[in-house]
Amino acid sequence: MGLEEANVLAERLRKEMVARQLEPRRIRDERVLAAFREVPRHLFAPGAGLSEAYADHPLPIGEGQTISQPYMVALMTQCLGLTGEEKVLEIGTGSGYQAAILSRLAAEVYTVERVASLAERTGELFRRLGYENISVRVGDGTLGWPEFAPFDAIIVTAGSPGVPPPLVEQLAEGGKLVIPAGSGYSQRLLVLERRGEKIIQRDEGGCVFVPLIGEYGWKQKR
Ligand code: SAH
């Protein structure tokens, strides 16, 4: 298959992904749906075949990590309620797919990854694709990224035993924090919102993520 042919097929697969996996479920935000029609998910999943990359399940990305199922990426993104002006923090860069989606919907994206090899590969891909509003850093994301705080939205894409306090501290007024919290095997998708001194929390259902490893996450595996 030539490059042009592959691009045409990928565009069709993206439209089908949105029509079959996102629209029939709870994804209604038109800007979110448009971002999913635009971002080339197959380029973030090296090794997966073209149709595999757009299928209704998570994908391996190396280093024992995964890109979430498109629906889960869409649900978490929609929960942030982005309008285009926001400064967003992501914990768990991984393949970069979630950050790429966010970069189409917000002003600036800051993303932290603990595995250096993943952060390097993904930073290179962002440069190649011209996603210039994304900054990647290697480190423990459970500490947030204090230099650029506060953030209008924070998204954690690994499963945590609880909500890391530094992330709540780095949340701007009216800001939203989306995080899978629970055991190592399954979590609840929590959405926290800062209203002055108060934090309002709701539960968006069950989910399964790879572990968030760090000072306020799970202990490092030996
Ligand atoms: N958002 C990613 C999902 C990657 S899976 C994507 O779209 O592909 C979760 C990622 O979180 C893994 O890459 C893992 O290495 C990373 N991670 C786990 N604990 C972390 C921590 N404390 N800080 C930063 N990244 C972490």
Side-chain angles (χ1 to χ4, degrees):
M1 194 175 359
L3 189 60
E4 185 53 32
E5 217 180 324
N7 284 338
V8 170
L9 176 56
E11 197 176 337
R12 203 192 77 210
L13 290 168
R14 280 198 291 282
K15 284 188 183 147
E16 285 176 7
M17 169 181 74
V18 168
R20 291 181 191 165
Q21 302 173 38
L22 307 186
E23 282 174 330
R25 294 176 180 152
R26 292 182 283 163
I27 311 305
R28 300 280 143 75
D29 185 327
E30 267 310 319
R31 294 179 70 246
V32 172
L33 296 171
F36 277 80
R37 288 188 201 101
E38 178 190 334
V39 175
R41 181 169 163 100
H42 63 289
L43 300 183
F44 294 84
L50 206 47
S51 26
E52 187 70 5
Y54 292 97
D56 196 10
H57 53 66
L59 292 165
I61 54 171
E63 307 283 350
Q65 306 301 334
T66 53
I67 316 190
S68 299
Q69 170 195 27
Y71 167 66
M72 187 49 64
V73 179
L75 176 61
M76 292 173 86
T77 305
Q78 179 170 267
C79 286
L80 296 175
L82 301 171
T83 64
E85 307 292 313
E86 294 85 359
K87 183 161 71 166
V88 183
L89 174 66
E90 180 196 28
I91 310 307
T93 315
S95 72
Y97 181 65
Q98 172 75 73
I101 292 285
L102 294 169
S103 78
R104 308 297 86 195
L105 299 169
E108 292 163 61
V109 178
Y110 294 85
T111 179
V112 185
E113 170 57 54
R114 66 180 283 274
V115 179
S117 60
L118 280 177
E120 277 157 29
R121 187 180 87 193
T122 300
E124 184 51 46
L125 181 59
F126 291 150
R127 277 188 288 281
R128 188 152 69 80
L129 294 175
Y131 290 160
E132 287 170 1
N133 60 342
I134 310 177
S135 310
V136 187
R137 184 173 78 93
V138 178
D140 177 5
T142 68
L143 303 173
W145 195 336
E147 291 86 342
F148 293 102
F151 298 96
D152 305 301
I154 302 180
I155 177 170
V156 181
T157 64
S160 180
V163 182
L167 299 185
V168 179
E169 280 157 27
Q170 292 172 33
L171 198 57
E173 174 58 30
K176 291 193 180 128
L177 164 58
V178 177
I179 180 167
S183 77
Y185 304 99
S186 76
Q187 303 89 32
R188 307 296 301 179
L189 188 63
L190 304 183
V191 183
L192 282 69
E193 187 173 341
R194 177 184 290 288
R195 299 252 183 91
E197 293 301 295
K198 278 209 270 181
I199 302 289
I200 294 164
Q201 182 178 312
R202 67 170 203 269
D203 184 324
E204 281 285 333
C207 52
V208 180
F209 280 79
V210 298
L212 181 74
I213 296 167
E215 191 169 332
Y216 295 97
W218 298 100
K219 290 272 146 32
Q220 174 121 32
K221 279 180 270 172
R222 282 171 213 277

